Amino acid sequence: MPKSRVRKKKVYTTPADMRPTSAEAAKQPSPTWVPVLAVVLIVVGIAWLVTFYLSRQEFPVASWGYWNIAVGFGALVASLLVLSRWR
């Protein structure tokens, strides 16, 4: 049985005017304060929530009541937003 011919396709290359030139070159590592701030926010958020629950809702700020939970989770969400900028 005869062998079939192998097709040789040309490799597609994008035109030079459509190639991204500076987007990948501009990506640099994040400053060191980004992961440090994220870790600090995580620790503060968890500490705030643990303090609130273990003190039977008297600390960190008794007059805020259940808004203390929002502060703790707000710190955790803020750390996620900071970590989304980390490269």
Side-chain angles (χ1 to χ4, degrees):
M1 189 177 276
K3 281 189 167 181
S4 62
R5 251 187 331 161
V6 178
R7 290 186 225 154
K8 294 183 181 179
K9 288 186 171 182
K10 292 182 180 179
V11 177
Y12 176 75
T13 56
T14 57
D17 59 339
M18 294 185 70
R19 287 187 199 141
T21 55
S22 64
E24 292 166 6
K27 286 188 178 180
Q28 297 174 355
S30 298
T32 55
W33 61 267
V34 172
V36 172
L37 177 64
V39 170
V40 168
L41 285 171
I42 290 170
V43 169
V44 167
I46 291 173
W48 194 283
L49 291 172
V50 168
T51 304
F52 177 69
Y53 280 116
L54 292 181
S55 69
R56 296 187 182 149
Q57 303 169 2
E58 294 178 11
F59 295 107
V61 182
S63 64
W64 289 0
Y66 286 108
W67 283 103
N68 283 303
I69 296 174
V71 171
F73 280 112
L76 294 174
V77 169
S79 71
L80 289 175
L81 294 175
V82 170
L83 283 175
S84 70
R85 292 301 197 181
W86 189 25
R87 282 183 241 133

